[in-house]
């Protein structure tokens, strides 16, 4: 097979990039397996961070980079649904409960929203109690400020959004191989690449002028980077609990928005940062509230392929993780009487820059990467994919911040050495 551009990874970033690349007239081949259902099993390349039913959408950003990515993407979601004919967005609003200890950051975030016309309401604790009677306020030191976005905010179904992007890419001519790449190497001709892999037990080989690697959190471990290349990016366990909602409680709890708690206290596992999805209907017809943590110490780094595989395959959170998540749920929705509680084990990636990597890999002409959702890349994925296509096609950069912000960093020489506690593991962790 041949293609102008091979996109390796049919996830949130790869599917969006494939759409923009094929719309520009490039002959695009997307390589990536279907995401698993509920069970995750080897190989690691089958792990997909988008294999779920809900990801928080908001335009309020922790910083200018994410605020701009998220706003541009969120503004395009209705058009993406209409064009593809696939619905995936639920507008239920988004609430950030910001610890008063980060007031300066809160002010700056509001200033950025104001500058681009994103309406955000500030709600006091008393106003929060009136607006959301089901919501309990977490006892963050000094209290919280509520930042509420009512419009263009809520949650998206990531599986369906990927399907929508791939549908539009296919309409623009993109082809798809439902398999995994096992090796990406130069093919001997200057700037050209060979991608080899396996689909349904059958080996394939593609020659391409350009390759975009979009293989997500496990990019350093699934064989889609050229031999010897690795990115400075860490993978972490992302433990979630899903609380089954009874019919009796469903109507009242459905009035909740998506919620994120930002607790700035450096209190180890007692830090209360977390995120909560309102009741979402899963494919088995059951409604669940889904809760996840911030980057407390109980969120462990996945240092080896073996550790990662057993985390993904077992789908069992640790006792500490379960205890933490149950206690936060009691704080946030005190009246909840779950019918059952299910565990879900996912993986998130973190870059030292806190921004995604979008750009060419040093010394690998014609090979670019787009990765580093930092645990909240779904909502900005359309713009992230568009920027990746801009880089691959060498088109004019039209983002308000320079491309350097997204420059991929190779793994530091001292990988494995103790380089101190990275910024993203120090509260406040930001907005998930
Ligand atoms: C539990 C959880 C909660 C989250 N909550 C939010 C949220 O509320 N809001 C938000 O915006 N974001 C959220 N995120 C983050 C968001 O889902 C990710 O940032 C986003 O999915 C990243 O997109 P990606 O394309 O990099 O990775 P993915 O979506 O994981 O896609 C990567 C794809 O590459 C494929 N692949 C891997 N190796 C190979 C290979 N060798 N060959 C071919 N294909 C390969 C994988 O199968 C996968 O399909 C959450 C993530 C998790 C895990």
């Amino acid at each position: 097979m041949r293609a102008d551009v091979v996109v390796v990874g049919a996830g949130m970033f790869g599917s969006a990039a494939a759409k923009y690349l094929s719309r520009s007239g490039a002959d695009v081949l997307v390589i990536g397996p279907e995401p698993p259902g509920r069970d995750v099993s080897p190989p690691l390349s089958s792990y997909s961070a988008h294999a779920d039913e809900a990801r928080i959408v908001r335009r309020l950003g922790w910083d200018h980079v994410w605020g701009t990515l998220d706003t541009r993407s969120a503004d395009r979601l209705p058009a993406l649904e209409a064009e593809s004919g696939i619905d995936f967005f639920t507008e239920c609003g988004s609430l950030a409960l910001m610890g008063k200890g980060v007031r300066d950051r809160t002010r700056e975030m509001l200033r950025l929203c104001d500058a681009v016309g994103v309406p955000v309401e500030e709600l006091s604790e008393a106003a929060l109690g009136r607006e959301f009677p089901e919501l309990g306020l977490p006892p963050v030191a000094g209290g919280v400020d509520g930042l509420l976005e009512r419009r263009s905010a809520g949650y998206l179904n990531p599986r369906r959004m990927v399907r929508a992007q791939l549908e539009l890419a296919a309409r623009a001519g993109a082809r798809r191989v439902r398999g995994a790449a096992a090796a990406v190497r130069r093919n001997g001709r200057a700037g050209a690449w060979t991608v080899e892999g396996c689909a349904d037990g059958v080996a394939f080989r593609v020659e391409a002028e350009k390759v975009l690697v979009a293989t997500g959190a496990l990019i350093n471990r699934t064989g889609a980077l050229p031999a010897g290349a690795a990115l400075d990016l860490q993978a972490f366990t992302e433990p979630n609990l899903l609380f089954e909602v009874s019919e009796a409680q469903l109507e009242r709890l459905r009035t909740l928005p998506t919620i994120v708690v930002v607790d700035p206290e450096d209190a180890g596992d007692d830090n209360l940062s977390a995120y909560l999805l309102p009741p979402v209907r899963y494919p088995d017809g059951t409604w669940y509230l889904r809760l996840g943590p911030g980057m407390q110490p109980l969120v462990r780094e996945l240092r080896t392929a073996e550790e990662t595989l057993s985390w993904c395959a077992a789908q069992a959170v640790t006792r500490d993780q379960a205890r933490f998540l149950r206690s936060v749920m009691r704080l946030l929705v005190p009246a909840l009487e779950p019918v059952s509680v299910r565990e879900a084990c996912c993986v998130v990636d973190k870059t030292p820059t806190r921004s995604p990597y979008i750009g060419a890999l040093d010394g690998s002409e014609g090979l670019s990467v787009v990765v580093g959702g930092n645990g909240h890349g779904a909502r900005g994925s359309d713009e992230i994919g568009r920027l990746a296509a801009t880089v691959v096609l060498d088109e004019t950069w039209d983002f308000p911040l320079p491309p350097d912000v997204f420059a991929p960093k190779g793994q530091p020489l001292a990988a494995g050495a103790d380089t101190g506690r990275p910024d993203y593991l120090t509260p406040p962790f930001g907005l998930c």
Side-chain angles (χ1 to χ4, degrees):
M1 284 184 283
R2 289 200 56 77
D4 294 340
V5 185
V6 166
V7 177
V8 186
M12 304 234 59
F13 296 169
S15 62
K19 175 188 71 179
Y20 286 106
L21 285 164
S22 46
R23 280 183 171 176
S24 77
D27 171 28
V28 175
L29 182 79
V30 186
I31 298 173
E34 286 297 314
R38 233 172 96 168
D39 301 317
V40 180
S41 54
L44 276 180
S45 55
S46 72
Y47 171 74
S48 296
H50 67 276
D52 188 34
E53 304 301 307
R55 296 286 179 255
I56 295 173
V57 174
R58 73 168 82 78
R59 294 186 288 171
L60 175 80
W62 183 248
D63 57 28
H64 194 20
V65 178
W66 284 104
T68 311
L69 292 169
D70 295 351
T71 299
R72 287 185 166 201
S73 296
D75 288 347
R76 294 200 286 263
L77 297 184
L80 183 47
E81 289 186 307
E83 282 174 75
S84 65
I86 299 174
D87 293 339
F88 55 81
F89 177 57
T90 302
E91 190 181 60
C92 63
S94 150
L95 176 65
L97 297 175
M98 306 286 295
K100 287 192 190 288
V102 280
R103 264 247 161 101
D104 289 350
R105 168 71 72 160
T106 303
R107 293 274 150 259
E108 179 59 12
M109 288 161 61
L110 287 171
R111 194 191 62 74
L112 287 171
C113 284
D114 199 39
V116 293
V118 172
V120 181
E121 289 171 40
E122 291 183 70
L123 297 187
S124 66
E125 294 192 355
L128 284 166
R130 284 192 297 275
E131 174 106 25
F132 303 111
E134 304 303 321
L135 178 68
L137 291 182
V140 171
V144 292
D145 293 311
L147 302 186
L148 179 66
E149 277 176 85
R150 293 184 194 271
R151 296 279 162 255
S152 298
Y155 61 89
L156 60 81
N157 180 315
R159 279 184 201 274
R160 290 177 65 83
M161 181 167 169
V162 167
R163 213 181 302 152
Q165 298 283 29
L166 291 172
E167 165 66 23
L168 295 178
R171 280 190 214 161
R175 292 168 289 153
R176 167 94 185 267
V177 171
R178 287 182 170 74
V184 176
R185 54 185 163 74
R186 290 184 193 280
N187 74 2
R189 199 160 53 80
W193 294 84
T194 299
V195 181
E196 289 172 331
C198 191
D200 285 333
V202 179
F204 66 80
R205 179 190 167 102
V206 194
E207 308 293 340
E209 297 304 311
K210 294 180 175 178
V211 175
L212 176 66
V213 181
T215 50
L218 305 177
I219 191 165
N220 287 330
R221 302 202 182 129
T222 69
L225 289 177
L231 293 170
D232 188 0
L233 170 149
Q234 272 66 47
F236 289 86
T237 64
E238 181 70 12
N240 278 188
L241 288 184
L242 284 85
F243 297 78
E244 183 180 347
V245 180
S246 67
E247 262 186 43
Q249 292 204 298
L250 184 60
E251 282 319 307
R252 289 177 70 88
L253 294 180
R254 281 182 77 181
T255 58
L256 287 172
T258 63
I259 294 162
V260 57
V261 180
V262 176
D263 178 357
E265 287 294 298
D266 197 355
D269 286 341
D270 291 331
N271 177 286
L272 292 171
S273 300
Y275 59 90
L276 175 67
L277 276 302
V280 172
R281 189 171 199 181
Y282 275 66
D284 64 1
T286 311
W287 292 84
Y288 292 102
L289 285 163
R290 185 172 182 129
L291 182 76
M295 293 301 292
Q296 292 88 346
L298 57 83
V299 172
R300 293 180 296 114
E301 185 178 350
L302 291 163
R303 290 179 182 271
T304 65
E306 295 68 40
E307 245 184 304
T308 313
L309 262 179
S310 71
W311 167 255
C312 292
Q315 288 297 302
V317 306
T318 67
R319 199 178 299 175
D320 285 353
Q321 292 168 343
R323 196 182 304 124
F324 170 82
L325 293 170
R326 282 177 184 273
S327 70
V328 174
M329 183 56 106
R330 278 194 294 274
L331 294 171
L332 287 178
V333 191
L336 178 68
E337 290 169 1
V339 179
S340 67
V341 181
R342 182 151 84 68
E343 303 180 2
C345 296
C346 312
V347 181
V348 290
D349 49 16
K350 293 280 166 182
T351 60
T353 58
R354 284 190 183 233
S355 297
Y357 290 152
I358 310 171
L361 208 59
D362 257 359
S364 300
E365 193 197 335
L367 187 129
S368 307
V369 297
V370 56
V371 68
N374 280 269
H376 50 89
R379 56 181 166 267
S381 60
D382 192 71
E383 179 66 0
I384 291 170
R386 190 188 73 82
L387 294 176
T390 302
V391 166
V392 170
L393 298 169
D394 216 5
E395 286 178 342
T396 308
W397 183 260
D398 63 352
F399 194 76
L401 295 158
D404 302 1
V405 168
F406 302 105
K409 295 194 186 315
Q411 206 159 69
L413 286 176
D418 185 7
T419 48
R421 194 174 173 202
D423 167 51
Y424 55 77
L425 293 181
T426 309
F429 306 121
L431 291 177
C432 17

